[in-house]
Amino acid sequence: MAPGSRLLALWALAALVLPSSGEEGDGGWRRGGPGAVAEEERCGVERRADLTYADFVQHYAFVRPVILQGLTDNSRFRALCSRERLLASFGDRVVRLSTANTYSYRKVDLPFQEYVEQLLHPQDPGSLGNDTLYFFGDNNLTEWASLFRHYSPPPFGLPGTAPAYSFGIAGAGSGVPFHWHGPGYSEVIYGRKRWFLYPPEKTPEFHPNKTTLAWLRDTYPALPPSARPLECTIRAGAVLP
Ligand SMILES: *[C@@H]1O[C@H](CO)[C@@H](O)[C@H](O)[C@H]1NC(C)=O
Ligand SMILES: *[C@@H]1O[C@H](CO)[C@@H](O)[C@H](O)[C@H]1NC(C)=O
Ligand SMILES: *[C@@H]1O[C@H](CO)[C@@H](O)[C@H](O)[C@H]1NC(C)=O
């Protein structure tokens, strides 16, 4: 793997709720109240709607992030992911929740319906990441196959790699703190996700057990320009690799 592909990604503010406007629909996931996170409107990541595979491999795959737009149509998958339909199909399935810290992931198993009704709330800025549980990854691909088979992945793969899927739903302001990542895509189905990215040679200062929201509030505002991350907010329909 080329070093450039190991971007340090902060899964920040994985807001499945809070779509920007009513037009695109919220699938019933929007729950008002506090916890809305300010959105950075400037996006430091290039957006491409017309990318060819050769372009992708040469200029982005191992070099820098890019946002792919309009390459796949996941409207059917999106409709199946509404709150009502997911609860009807998978409410009684047990899902595995993880803590939102960098190194040690405590796991808790809970029926999906209990997670949605009791734990899916905006991130409390006062709590610690290792005390915050959310549904991200650890998917039972067999039990959820009837849903996942409707997902169209981005068309560009990397030679010698096989995809692994990870599906999650979390409240406004939630996110995993900084961690290191190999090549991957992230697609938003409902809501939006704000990203903070550092190249592999630049490790930011962060506490592995604090939430991303606490980092955004306490550390981010004082960063000198040279220590700022690359940022972008991804909405439904855009894919960040
Ligand atoms: C979470 O981390 C804090 C500080 O790192 C620690 O004091 C606390 O015991 C941890 N909580 C759990 C549930 O492990
Ligand atoms: C996934 O679900 C199936 C069917 O309920 C079950 O037999 C299997 O053990 C589960 N796999 C994992 C990894 O939990
Ligand atoms: C973070 O939390 C984990 C588990 O709760 C704990 O074992 C570890 O010591 C904490 N790390 C720091 C740096 O406080």
Side-chain angles (χ1 to χ4, degrees):
M1 189 195 308
S5 65
R6 269 179 283 119
L7 277 167
L8 177 62
L10 171 63
W11 290 64
L13 319 177
L16 250 174
V17 281
L18 306 172
S20 57
S21 75
E23 284 161 40
E24 67 207 58
D26 60 28
W29 291 107
R30 182 182 207 145
R31 290 289 179 271
V37 173
E39 176 169 335
E40 172 60 66
E41 292 291 342
R42 287 164 303 168
C43 175
V45 181
E46 267 181 80
R47 289 173 192 275
R48 295 288 303 266
D50 55 349
L51 204 59
T52 63
Y53 183 63
D55 253 356
F56 172 71
V57 170
Q58 194 180 349
H59 299 292
Y60 301 101
F62 299 103
V63 187
R64 64 175 74 90
V66 61
I67 296 164
L68 306 178
Q69 264 170 324
L71 285 180
T72 51
D73 177 5
N74 272 313
S75 48
R76 166 107 178 107
F77 181 72
R78 180 168 299 120
L80 293 172
C81 286
S82 70
R83 190 176 195 272
E84 200 182 335
R85 293 180 90 153
L86 279 191
L87 283 177
S89 309
F90 303 103
D92 58 350
R93 299 295 184 174
V94 169
V95 292
R96 175 151 292 184
L97 312 177
S98 311
T99 49
N101 50 336
T102 300
Y103 302 118
S104 56
Y105 302 109
R106 186 164 58 94
K107 306 286 187 182
V108 172
D109 291 343
L110 206 67
F112 180 61
Q113 179 151 2
E114 261 177 63
Y115 171 68
V116 170
E117 289 174 354
Q118 289 162 31
L119 295 185
L120 192 57
H121 41 61
Q123 175 73 50
D124 171 2
S127 60
L128 284 166
N130 54 332
D131 293 328
T132 302
L133 284 169
Y134 79 148
F135 176 35
F136 189 83
D138 286 306
N139 307 115
N140 187 320
L141 300 179
T142 312
E143 285 189 347
W144 292 66
S146 61
L147 172 68
F148 295 158
R149 70 191 169 85
H150 294 284
Y151 177 68
S152 304
F156 305 147
L158 291 178
T161 65
Y165 290 106
S166 176
F167 175 78
I169 300 172
S174 61
V176 177
F178 282 104
H179 58 283
W180 284 262
H181 230 286
Y185 290 102
S186 170
E187 176 158 1
V188 171
I189 303 302
Y190 287 113
R192 37 177 227 234
K193 196 167 177 109
R194 183 171 169 186
W195 284 82
F196 302 89
L197 301 162
Y198 282 96
E201 68 278 7
K202 251 171 114 174
T203 300
E205 226 175 273
F206 68 101
H207 188 292
N209 287 347
K210 281 196 176 168
T211 63
T212 300
L213 197 57
W215 177 86
L216 183 65
R217 180 195 57 193
D218 303 338
T219 307
Y220 176 87
L223 290 177
S226 64
R228 286 191 197 138
L230 192 57
E231 275 188 67
C232 196
T233 298
I234 309 291
R235 294 156 183 278
V239 183
L240 180 86

